[in-house]
Amino acid sequence: MIIRDIEFIGSFEKEEQCPTTGLPEYAFIGRSNVGKSSLINLITGRNDLARISSTPGKTQTFNYFLINNSWYLVDLPGYGYAKISKKVREKWQRSMNYFLMKRHQVYCVFSLIDSRHKLQSVDLKFLNWLGVKEIPHALVYTKIDKVKDSEIDAHIETIESELLEHWEYLPKTFRTSTVNRTGGEDILAFIEEINNK
Ligand code: GDP
């Protein structure tokens, strides 16, 4: 898919404020520092797009970008910020859960996993929740340039076998590196395939 046109639509605090056009939506989410802003910039080919929503501690919002006038990329705030109080985190969690359950035009939630680390409990909890609620999702391993070529397969296999203790099968997975600029096109092709169905 060639990105011809990107329009920032807005940052919304509540699901009710989000666009009502019914166009397909694709959401990106992950722990803070997972590489979400960098990945969004890689996918869109812009260097500063995701900065708008990337400041930790700032009001957490659903950030909408209209792509090629035909679908929305939704930048969801990172989870797992240590600096935010438990109360604020829980409030945001509820708002996020409500958003994802209500928003059937989200055709895929791309869950970002940092491939440098073992699966974190906060990731597993979120992924299990997506599975239980039957929310369509895919896994995106970020920063794969940081793991040695000879180790990456075994490392990802460890993560996936842990997931398979909870799941019957794995969703679609992607491997990305914004340093090597790889994986972004695969994600765009996947989005295009769903949009053309
Ligand atoms: P966010 O908090 O999830 O939006 O993460 P950022 O995109 O701001 O990235 C967090 C840190 O990881 C930054 O220092 C990035 O330069 C770095 N980073 C992001 N993607 C990659 C990647 O693919 N490879 C490497 N080596 N570093 C990355």
Side-chain angles (χ1 to χ4, degrees):
M1 184 194 311
I2 295 166
I3 307 261
R4 284 175 280 103
D5 194 54
I6 306 174
E7 189 186 343
F8 175 62
I9 301 297
S11 295
F12 308 101
E13 282 183 48
K14 293 191 174 128
E15 191 276 331
E16 287 77 6
Q17 300 162 335
C18 294
T20 54
T21 57
L23 287 174
E25 300 183 4
Y26 296 89
F28 290 79
I29 189 167
R31 257 178 325 120
S32 62
N33 214 38
V34 70
K36 180 166 59 77
S37 308
S38 310
L39 183 69
I40 289 174
N41 291 340
L42 174 72
I43 287 173
T44 55
R46 305 284 166 98
N47 280 334
D48 55 352
L49 205 66
R51 210 180 40 205
I52 298 162
S53 50
S54 69
T55 323
K58 194 184 110 166
T59 314
Q60 300 200 290
T61 49
F62 308 110
N63 307 292
Y64 273 74
F65 300 90
L66 178 62
I67 312 287
N68 291 350
N69 227 7
S70 61
W71 58 276
Y72 295 107
L73 185 156
V74 190
D75 180 7
L76 298 178
Y79 51 79
Y81 289 126
K83 285 184 189 146
I84 295 176
S85 75
K86 193 168 173 234
K87 204 170 151 195
V88 173
R89 245 192 344 250
E90 284 172 358
K91 180 168 172 265
W92 177 250
Q93 188 69 48
R94 281 195 298 279
S95 158
M96 176 82 78
N97 291 1
Y98 177 78
F99 174 91
L100 289 172
M101 285 196 307
K102 181 105 190 282
R103 203 97 189 140
H104 298 298
Q105 58 271 61
V106 174
Y107 288 174
C108 186
V109 177
F110 291 96
S111 278
L112 275 53
I113 309 283
D114 192 327
S115 65
R116 293 173 306 169
H117 308 304
K118 287 184 182 154
L119 199 60
Q120 309 283 299
S121 64
V122 67
D123 290 325
L124 185 60
K125 204 171 149 203
F126 179 68
L127 290 168
N128 281 342
W129 182 84
L130 288 175
V132 167
K133 297 294 176 192
E134 298 184 345
I135 293 165
H137 57 278
L139 293 181
V140 179
Y141 298 108
T142 62
K143 309 187 189 181
I144 57 155
D145 58 280
K146 284 288 203 181
V147 184
K148 285 190 194 131
D149 280 350
S150 56
E151 291 171 8
I152 188 76
D153 286 338
H155 181 67
I156 286 183
E157 219 172 280
T158 308
I159 295 178
E160 296 189 342
S161 55
E162 191 178 345
L163 283 171
L164 286 169
E165 286 174 22
H166 304 265
W167 296 359
E168 277 175 42
Y169 54 89
L170 289 171
K172 177 95 180 158
T173 62
F174 298 91
R175 297 181 183 194
T176 65
S177 162
T178 60
V179 169
N180 296 341
R181 306 190 68 77
T182 50
E185 281 174 15
D186 296 340
I187 293 176
L188 282 175
F190 180 66
I191 290 174
E192 190 165 35
E193 198 184 306
I194 299 176
N195 283 345
N196 289 340
K197 268 188 189 158

